[in-house]
Amino acid sequence: MVVQDSTDAGDARVGVQLQPFLHQVGGHLSVMKYDEHTVCKPLVSREQRFYESLPLAMKRFTPQYKGTITVHLRKDSRGHLSLVANPLKENRGPFKVSTESAAVAIWQTLPQTTSGSGGAHTLAQWQHTQLAHSLKESSATSLLRSEFHLNAHVSSLVEDANGNQAERRSFNPWGLQCHLAHLTRLCTEYPENQLHRFLLLENVVSQYKYPCILDLKMGTRQQGDDVSEEKKARHMRKCAQSTSACLGVRICGMQVYQIDKKHFLCKDKYYGRKLSVEGFRQALHQFLHDGTRLRPELLEPIQRQLRALLSVIRNQSSYRFYSSSLLIIYDGQELPERTPERLHPPEAPQPDHGSSSGSLSKVDIRMIDFAHTTYKGSWNEHTTYDGPDPGYIFGLENLIQILQDIQEGE
């Protein structure tokens, strides 16, 4: 949505009104929708440097990096708040603010109201009336209406960490929770004309009608080298008490389309932290289940792409992808025609980005969230490592094996 920014009457500018990205299933920083094929998120300089020096072999497994934009808070005549991105062409010159986006500081100061055993309950208790009221006071309403127009009969069923069905809604609540907290903190902590810098990234689910998304936190270690001792201890405790320690992977969020009930089943990171190894396997099975049957045609292309990623990671010496996530994506809408697997040779394991009915399945694997990634040659690194990331490799190997076990068990 293009808007006329009249914050300064002497400097009227046309900007892009950012909207909540309704398919964010995990993470803590708010992801915003810039346009149909582009999302943006608060800039962290370490992550920006990673994208700008990305090894060629990894580009197929990461969102396309599209640069940066400046964003500011905008209040209209009725007092409604939104985030507006300045035109892209304005961001080619020097930018006279801190290299760390002020928006990042928001999440460093947010009260930990969703930590511990009450975290999932907090999300489940996110009252619909309160959320609806908040949406009326923000820019989210227009996006929700456009989503309803595209998927008029699609809703979501939220489950808490104990598997209890909390509430049926017309969207995944996680991204909106992040957005509303972000917007609230911005307007209370920073002046309205404060500029914030955001990363522009490919919207990796734009091609899907009903994007089923699994967000996996990869590796046996989550804390970066730059975190405090307190945060380090907290991350180590989360890993030790979850499948991160024994499998090198844990679930951070999920939405899967149920064709029988025409809604998304949504689960969050608190659910993922409580899973045992068997519970993790069952959750993977559920992610591949459409409410009526398991989707066996998805298993081979997912495993093929994971093996290709594994080969790439094994060749990335010194890289440590601490606290990064891996997205597994497929379309909840089954295609009317299916091409036999033999028409997709194993020697060409490129992600299937096509949307033709001749494709067996639309499956994608993407690495995201590199704010704590370290490697030789990265700026201001005090610790360097030799060889590939053992924790990430451990997680990928276990993930592939579990998917293979599911396939062989069907």
Side-chain angles (χ1 to χ4, degrees):
M1 178 178 179
V2 177
V3 297
Q4 185 74 25
D5 177 17
S6 55
T7 302
D8 182 350
D11 181 25
R13 296 171 292 174
V14 174
V16 176
Q17 183 171 307
L18 302 180
Q19 300 169 332
F21 180 58
L22 296 186
H23 295 301
Q24 179 179 355
V25 301
H28 60 282
L29 287 178
S30 179
V31 177
M32 306 294 291
K33 180 179 176 181
Y34 181 82
D35 62 30
E36 194 63 34
H37 303 287
T38 310
V39 297
C40 59
K41 59 184 291 192
L43 184 149
V44 177
S45 55
R46 185 191 295 260
E47 184 168 32
Q48 181 188 16
R49 289 191 295 270
F50 171 82
Y51 277 112
E52 291 178 343
S53 62
L54 186 66
L56 183 61
M58 292 188 63
K59 287 191 174 182
R60 56 182 280 201
F61 295 110
T62 57
Q64 179 189 357
Y65 172 60
K66 299 186 177 185
T68 66
I69 51 170
T70 57
V71 174
H72 66 279
L73 198 64
R74 175 180 177 268
K75 185 183 294 184
D76 65 18
S77 58
R78 295 172 296 173
H80 295 175
L81 296 170
S82 60
L83 287 173
V84 175
N86 297 336
L88 277 172
K89 62 182 180 181
E90 293 187 6
N91 299 307
R92 301 305 180 189
F95 187 77
K96 298 180 180 179
V97 297
S98 168
T99 54
E100 290 290 349
S101 167
V104 174
I106 293 167
W107 284 101
Q108 296 173 345
T109 57
L110 275 177
Q112 298 298 313
T113 56
T114 57
S115 60
S117 59
H121 193 61
T122 302
L123 181 59
Q125 292 274 316
W126 190 266
Q127 298 296 322
H128 185 81
T129 53
Q130 175 187 351
L131 185 56
H133 175 73
S134 299
L135 289 174
K136 290 178 182 178
E137 301 302 318
S138 74
S139 63
T141 308
S142 60
L143 178 62
L144 286 174
R145 285 174 180 164
S146 68
E147 285 286 311
F148 290 163
H149 177 70
L150 292 173
N151 305 325
H153 59 290
V154 177
S155 62
S156 65
L157 189 64
V158 183
E159 289 189 358
D160 63 21
N162 298 316
N164 300 315
Q165 295 180 355
E167 186 178 350
R168 188 183 300 275
R169 303 190 182 94
S170 299
F171 46 84
N172 188 325
W174 188 261
L176 279 173
Q177 180 184 6
C178 292
H179 169 66
L180 293 174
H182 186 181
L183 199 62
T184 300
R185 186 64 66 173
L186 274 179
C187 68
T188 57
E189 297 291 330
Y190 299 98
E192 187 177 330
N193 61 354
Q194 171 76 47
L195 294 178
H196 310 276
R197 201 161 197 178
F198 278 53
L199 291 176
L200 280 173
L201 299 168
E202 172 192 3
N203 176 3
V204 297
V205 303
S206 62
Q207 63 177 305
Y208 300 95
K209 184 172 183 180
Y210 302 127
C212 299
I213 308 166
L214 181 64
D215 186 329
L216 299 170
K217 188 72 73 174
M218 300 300 297
T220 53
R221 168 181 163 175
Q222 299 304 320
Q223 75 277 10
D225 294 322
D226 56 335
V227 301
S228 65
E229 288 300 317
E230 179 185 359
K231 194 168 186 179
K232 177 180 177 181
R234 190 164 67 246
H235 279 299
M236 291 176 68
R237 185 166 59 251
K238 289 176 185 176
C239 286
Q241 296 173 350
S242 69
T243 55
S244 292
C246 54
L247 294 177
V249 56
R250 74 170 183 262
I251 291 176
C252 269
M254 178 175 86
Q255 68 176 36
V256 55
Y257 185 62
Q258 307 291 279
I259 63 170
D260 56 334
K261 298 174 182 175
K262 294 182 170 53
H263 66 64
F264 283 102
L265 177 65
C266 305
K267 301 204 175 187
D268 61 28
K269 64 182 180 181
Y270 304 105
Y271 162 83
R273 287 179 191 170
K274 290 189 173 185
L275 293 176
S276 63
V277 173
E278 176 58 24
F280 180 86
R281 191 199 73 81
Q282 291 176 5
L284 278 186
H285 188 281
Q286 185 175 43
F287 173 65
L288 300 168
H289 201 285
D290 65 9
T292 63
R293 69 177 187 91
L294 184 73
R295 298 276 302 274
E297 71 276 11
L298 299 168
L299 284 159
E300 182 54 39
I302 290 175
Q303 290 176 75
R304 185 169 62 241
Q305 291 190 40
L306 288 173
R307 291 189 188 100
L309 174 60
L310 178 59
S311 177
V312 169
I313 296 298
R314 282 172 172 162
N315 289 319
Q316 303 309 313
S317 181
S318 84
Y319 278 81
R320 295 296 182 270
F321 302 100
Y322 297 140
S323 200
S324 69
S325 285
L326 182 67
L327 301 182
I328 299 179
I329 311 163
Y330 70 88
D331 203 325
Q333 176 184 242
E334 293 190 63
L335 299 171
E337 298 177 18
R338 294 179 187 167
T339 302
E341 180 62 21
R342 65 178 179 270
L343 296 184
H344 296 268
E347 63 268 21
Q350 290 287 343
D352 177 12
H353 297 297
S355 58
S356 67
S357 61
S359 298
L360 174 67
S361 56
K362 293 167 62 176
V363 170
D364 207 353
I365 304 292
R366 300 294 184 103
M367 298 173 69
I368 60 169
D369 297 341
F370 303 103
H372 299 286
T373 293
T374 179
Y375 50 95
K376 282 183 181 177
S378 56
W379 180 77
N380 200 28
E381 294 300 331
H382 301 291
T383 305
T384 57
Y385 301 89
D386 293 320
D389 188 334
Y392 204 105
I393 291 173
F394 180 64
L396 279 177
E397 290 174 339
N398 283 318
L399 180 59
I400 292 168
Q401 183 60 57
I402 292 172
L403 289 168
Q404 186 174 325
D405 292 343
I406 293 175
Q407 185 176 28
E408 292 174 352
E410 291 300 318

